[in-house]
Every structure is written in structure tokens, then in C-alpha cells.
Amino acid sequence: MRKIDLNNFQVATSETARDINSRIMLNLVRKHQPLSRADLMRRSGLQRSTVSVITEQLISEQWLREGAVGQALRGRRPTFLHLNENRAGIFGINVRPFTTHMALANLAGHFLSQESMPTPSSPDAFVSQITERIRVLMKERPHMAYEGIGVSLPGRVDLSSQKFVFAPNLGWHVEDLKERLEKATGLAVDLENEANACALSEFWFGHHNDGARNLIAVAVSEGIGVGMILNGQLVRGPSGLAGEFGHVTLDENGPKCGCGNHGCWEVYASNSAALRYYAQSKSSARNGKTKNPAHSQALTFDDLLQLAENGDLRARAALDQMAHYLGKGISMLVTGLAPEAIVVVGEVTRAWDRIATIITDVVKQRSYTHAKTRITASGPAPQPRLRGIIALVLQKHFGAPTIA
Ligand SMILES: [Zn+2]
């Protein structure tokens, strides 16, 4: 039960009950479509008249559409209801340190178009390039209504000012990104941290976590971000900074981190950490043997994965070391929060067969609470950040309304 927030509450009006029931019905159709009105009555427990009134309203607002007519043994044959998936389009933008991905999705979260570009070096260039692309896409589909833009960022957004405040791996400074993008495009903009976007993606679209109300996403890339959904709700904390487990100190004498601190979890378990382990093992091998033909050009994490897949022992050892530290941080999450599921997201899941046992073994050694947390890799669906940021915009219609 939630304590009533006397600084921010909403009293129940005569529309409240209908709003709640309407959202329940919308979600039932989304999940089990196609459904007849009789199915909706059975699944919701609502009376026929209530179901009928709400369905008519959802159809008139174009949230639902009527489809094929079903079979009935006697009486009127039922008309099936579907979610009107193309009622509105949502733009999802995933900003990563080097590449920015963009997609236009419908209400079912299906991508209607997708593209990517090098991440602009400044927020100014970002706003103008994105606005230009959005205008082109909107022109291509002039009959579609546009719901808004969700932006996934490798940093944190201050909840009250909506300013982008903490992004050690991107190099942008505090910026009014939301306001500027809204002004330029004329659409509502929501900013969200990328790990939170990953958690939302698993929560709304993930398959293996159906029914989980407590789910944590560990987004592993150049850094490590953690997105937490506890009791069915994204945890942001009062300022929007909750979840920065990647910057919790594992060793105060450890290597320097992009945040300014030393020995943070991400310094040991991110993609950059694995590349550092590989480089270190390479130079120590070179010290042993004077002739080493190995080139020392900048290796990417994808290259490292490829090397490991091809049987390179040092690449495998680097990945194993990264996995060991992923396990250490994950055991902190299992012990401290005991969620039903922890989902690892990122390129490293390509090596899941190799790293899963290392991670679970470390968690077994480190966490003595015996919490039954499933640790999995994110599903095969591409672009979890994009899908999650689209889910963030969708939540406004499909999430539970806030009252009291
Ligand atoms: Zn740090």
C-alpha cells in the first residue's frame, strides 16, 4: 500500500473509475487480442453495460478497432476487438557515445522505420539534426498522429528541471534538451536514462519476464547503468539519479573512473574494462616474447567478442574477467534488492553461453540470502533502449493512472 502524498495528490472524480477500467480493458486487448466484448466481460469481471460503454468510447477515440466476426453457437456472432496499432506514432531516439539510433514505432512498439547517425558532438547539432529527420519522417506519413518523442540518454536527467545532468561517457554538459527539442519539433519530449529504458523494454515487451513486478536491467556498454522496476514501477529517486550502481566503489584504490571517483563497478565490468584487460594481457605477453606481430590498433568490443568466438585465449580471458566482475556487482543487486529477475543488456550477451556460468557462480559465492533471482540475457529483440524509450511514452496511456 502506498502512503498518500499530501504534497502531490489527485482526488477521485466520477471519471476516475471509468479511466481505471478503460485502461484495464485497453491492456487486456493489447495482451490477448483479438477479444470479443464477452471475453472482456469474463476477463475484467465488469458488467456488460460497463464493458459496452467503455468499448464504444475506446473505439470512438480510435484506441480500439473492430475486426473479424467470430463464430457463436447461438445468438449474435461476436465482433473481435483489436488494438488500433497505427493510431499514433512515437519517435524513439537512443543516444550513445558514438552512434545515435532513431525509430518511428506504432502503439504495439513495432518499428515502422529505423535509422542511425554518428552522435552529434554538441546538443545544438543534435537538436537540429534530429528535428530535420523527424520532419522528413512526419512528411512521409502525413495521416498519422504523433504522440511524442522519447530520448534514451547515457546519463541521468534531473526530474524537477528535466535537465540532463550526469553523463560521464558522453561529454555533453547540463542542457535543456527537452525544452529545445520540444520547441523545435512541436512534439512532447520525454528524456530517460538508458538503463531505465532497458528496464522498461523488458518490463513492457520482454517475454521471459512475463508477470515479474520486480525487475532490474543491467545495461552494459562503455559504462554500466542499472534500471530498476520495483513493485511494477520505475525507481528514479527524488532527483532522478537512482540506479547509479555502476559508480558504486568496489575498490577505493582502483583505476580512475569517468565520474571522477576511483574503482567504480563499471571500471571493472564494462566493455571498456574488458578491452583494458585484453590490452594488459597483450602487453605482458609481449614483454615475455620480444617478437610479437600483434598490432596495437584500437580494438573495439565487437572485435574482442569476435576474437573470443574465434578461440583467442587472451580475448576469452578478458571476457571471463569482465564476467567475474559483472557477477560481483550483480550479487550486490541480488543481495540488496532480491528482485524476481535481473536482465543483462548489451553486446556482451553475444557471449552469454560463455559468461552466464561465471556470473551465476560468482553470485552463488557472494550472495547468501538465497534470493531466487533469475539472471538472464535480454531477449533477441534488437534495440532494447529504443523499445524501452517508446514504452516510456506508451506508459502514459497503458500504465496505471496515479490517484490519491
Ligand atoms: Zn564512476
Side-chain angles (χ1 to χ4, degrees):
M1 189 163 285
R2 223 161 27 87
K3 184 184 174 191
I4 293 174
D5 179 359
L6 292 179
N7 296 314
N8 181 24
F9 60 85
Q10 237 171 303
V11 295
T13 64
S14 52
E15 277 100 55
T16 308
R18 186 183 285 186
D19 184 25
I20 294 171
N21 291 337
S22 157
R23 284 185 191 221
I24 290 172
M25 285 176 36
L26 192 56
N27 276 287
L28 284 171
V29 176
R30 173 182 175 266
K31 171 107 182 147
H32 302 289
Q33 62 182 328
L35 283 185
S36 67
R37 287 168 176 78
D39 294 332
L40 269 176
M41 263 172 62
R42 268 192 298 276
R43 287 185 184 269
S44 67
L46 291 167
Q47 287 183 352
R48 179 185 299 274
S49 56
T50 313
V51 168
S52 161
V53 169
I54 294 177
T55 330
E56 291 324 306
Q57 190 177 345
L58 287 171
I59 291 170
S60 73
E61 289 170 0
Q62 298 182 34
W63 285 106
L64 297 182
R65 61 180 170 80
E66 294 188 288
V69 176
Q71 300 293 327
L73 289 177
R74 35 196 177 94
R76 240 175 85 191
R77 301 200 316 171
T79 314
F80 285 119
L81 297 164
H82 300 255
L83 182 68
N84 184 15
E85 294 169 351
N86 290 324
R87 177 189 193 270
I90 297 143
F91 290 104
I93 298 165
N94 170 28
V95 184
R96 303 203 58 189
F98 304 109
T99 314
T100 292
H101 301 276
M102 185 169 145
L104 170 62
N106 66 11
L107 289 183
H110 295 142
F111 293 172
L112 306 174
S113 99
Q114 212 181 329
E115 59 192 273
S116 55
M117 62 177 92
T119 297
S121 58
S122 73
D124 273 336
F126 173 81
V127 170
S128 70
Q129 285 182 36
I130 290 292
T131 305
E132 197 186 307
R133 288 307 306 149
I134 284 180
R135 287 212 182 111
V136 170
L137 287 166
M138 284 170 78
K139 218 179 244 174
E140 282 171 13
R141 290 180 174 78
H143 303 299
M144 197 162 206
Y146 292 92
E147 193 68 20
I149 306 171
V151 186
S152 159
L153 293 158
R156 295 282 164 177
V157 180
D158 183 276
L159 281 182
S160 52
S161 68
Q162 278 292 311
K163 277 187 180 160
F164 182 39
V165 287
F166 179 73
N169 295 312
L170 188 60
W172 291 2
H173 299 293
V174 176
E175 290 296 341
D176 266 331
L177 209 52
K178 176 184 160 77
E179 205 184 313
R180 285 158 65 185
L181 203 52
E182 279 181 343
K183 219 175 258 173
T185 58
L187 293 171
V189 173
D190 286 289
L191 309 180
E192 190 53 86
N193 164 262
E194 61 172 2
N196 287 350
C198 291
L200 285 169
S201 169
E202 284 297 327
F203 191 55
W204 283 91
F205 301 116
H207 295 296
H208 44 212
N209 291 302
D210 211 17
R213 305 285 296 164
N214 299 275
L215 177 154
I216 294 180
V218 176
V220 186
S221 57
E222 294 78 7
I224 291 186
V226 173
M228 298 179 284
I229 287 174
L230 299 178
N231 202 13
Q233 210 166 347
L234 195 59
V235 178
R236 293 187 173 101
S239 54
L241 286 167
E244 284 298 341
F245 287 96
H247 296 285
V248 169
T249 313
L250 289 196
D251 178 1
E252 57 190 306
N253 299 314
K256 187 146 194 203
C257 175
C259 73
N261 196 1
H262 283 266
C264 297
W265 178 26
E266 74 169 42
V267 178
Y268 296 99
S270 60
N271 296 357
S272 331
L275 289 171
R276 193 179 70 243
Y277 298 143
Y278 182 73
Q280 283 165 354
S281 71
K282 219 167 149 185
S283 63
S284 60
R286 198 177 296 146
N287 288 342
K289 294 180 268 171
T290 39
K291 275 185 205 165
N292 192 319
H295 56 88
S296 58
Q297 273 148 10
L299 197 79
T300 66
F301 188 67
D302 276 336
D303 298 336
L304 187 76
L305 287 169
Q306 192 60 55
L307 281 170
E309 280 160 21
N310 295 346
D312 183 299
L313 293 180
R314 286 205 299 271
R316 287 182 170 183
L319 279 184
D320 291 355
Q321 198 169 351
M322 173 190 184
H324 173 81
Y325 282 105
L326 275 175
K328 264 189 140 175
I330 288 173
S331 64
M332 162 172 73
L333 297 172
V334 171
T335 311
L337 296 164
E340 288 136 289
I342 291 183
V343 188
V344 178
V345 186
E347 292 91 340
V348 72
T349 56
R350 231 172 85 185
W352 192 247
D353 286 346
R354 174 166 198 87
I355 64 169
T357 355
I358 301 176
I359 294 175
T360 46
D361 282 352
V362 175
V363 172
K364 255 184 228 153
Q365 286 160 18
R366 301 262 144 227
S367 179
Y368 277 74
T369 56
H370 307 294
K372 286 195 173 51
T373 299
R374 276 176 287 130
I375 301 167
T376 56
S378 66
Q383 299 281 11
R385 290 167 182 80
L386 273 182
R387 288 171 69 87
I389 202 67
I390 284 154
L392 177 80
V393 179
L394 282 176
Q395 270 195 138
K396 289 180 191 165
H397 299 291
F398 292 89
T402 317
I403 47 152

